[in-house]
Amino acid sequence: MKWSFCAFFLVFIALNGAEIPVNGGTFKAKLNTRGGALTELQYKGRMLTQARPSLTDRLIANRQNSGKREVLMEFFRDLEYKVIANKTVGAKTEIVFQTRGIAAFNWLRLTKTYRFTKNSTRILIDYRLTNLDTKSHSAGVWTQTFLRYCGN
């Protein structure tokens, strides 16, 4: 019974990702390794996220296939990200996520860096796309936000 509980717990974490809390004084946030997403944001006690994760990404590229234009898309919001760095120095917190595409973008590594400053109203997010292939590729990032005042 003990082993089945441990296995269930690990499967639960794998499906839902691990949460990383950020306490910034006037704001509180939670990031998740599933999609490298912002799952909760409160500012001065007011919730700014709804049921869906925010700041989720999909990668898009156009290419020619047999003379026809084709759009490639991969939902990075569904991928598990590794936490490469999670550090706080003074009033600044930096959390770095990294993942690699698994389908149309298996040649690409995405590094996503969140930067928070205590008691600030800004979240800075840097994206770095790294081509892991020997040939040239191009891609774009489409980020979805679901931030809004939720009435609480």
Side-chain angles (χ1 to χ4, degrees), residues 13-51:
I13 285 180
L15 293 176
N16 293 307
E19 287 201 328
I20 299 148
V22 179
N23 189 345
T26 56
F27 73 88
K28 290 181 182 177
K30 287 184 183 172
L31 301 174
N32 197 295
T33 57
R34 172 67 64 202
L38 178 73
T39 54
E40 190 175 299
L41 179 63
Q42 289 183 35
Y43 179 70
K44 294 185 177 179
R46 292 183 168 177
M47 186 64 73
L48 299 177
T49 49
Q50 294 183 336

Side-chain angles (χ1 to χ4, degrees), residues 20-78:
I20 299 148
V22 179
N23 189 345
T26 56
F27 73 88
K28 290 181 182 177
K30 287 184 183 172
L31 301 174
N32 197 295
T33 57
R34 172 67 64 202
L38 178 73
T39 54
E40 190 175 299
L41 179 63
Q42 289 183 35
Y43 179 70
K44 294 185 177 179
R46 292 183 168 177
M47 186 64 73
L48 299 177
T49 49
Q50 294 183 336
R52 297 178 73 178
S54 194
L55 304 173
T56 59
D57 311 302
R58 65 180 86 172
L59 275 282
I60 299 173
N62 296 318
R63 76 173 183 188
Q64 294 292 326
N65 187 10
S66 302
K68 292 184 178 180
R69 186 174 152 224
E70 180 177 78
V71 177
L72 299 175
M73 187 179 312
E74 186 170 335
F75 290 91
F76 276 56
R77 69 179 181 215
D78 298 330

Side-chain angles (χ1 to χ4, degrees), residues 65-149:
N65 187 10
S66 302
K68 292 184 178 180
R69 186 174 152 224
E70 180 177 78
V71 177
L72 299 175
M73 187 179 312
E74 186 170 335
F75 290 91
F76 276 56
R77 69 179 181 215
D78 298 330
L79 299 180
E80 185 67 21
Y81 284 65
K82 288 183 183 178
V83 178
I84 302 303
N86 181 354
K87 61 184 176 184
T88 300
V89 178
K92 298 187 182 290
T93 298
E94 180 179 280
I95 301 170
V96 182
F97 290 101
Q98 195 171 80
T99 196
R100 181 177 178 162
I102 58 171
F105 292 90
N106 63 354
W107 50 267
L108 183 133
R109 179 174 54 228
L110 173 63
T111 305
K112 187 174 182 179
T113 304
Y114 287 89
R115 290 185 177 87
F116 300 92
T117 302
K118 193 169 190 166
N119 297 320
S120 176
T121 57
R122 294 189 311 172
I123 301 172
L124 300 175
I125 306 169
D126 293 326
Y127 289 89
R128 177 172 294 187
L129 305 177
T130 305
N131 183 358
L132 303 172
D133 200 353
T134 55
K135 54 184 200 172
S136 180
H137 293 276
S138 62
V141 179
W142 177 357
T143 301
Q144 292 182 302
T145 62
F146 293 100
L147 299 176
R148 55 196 45 85
Y149 173 62

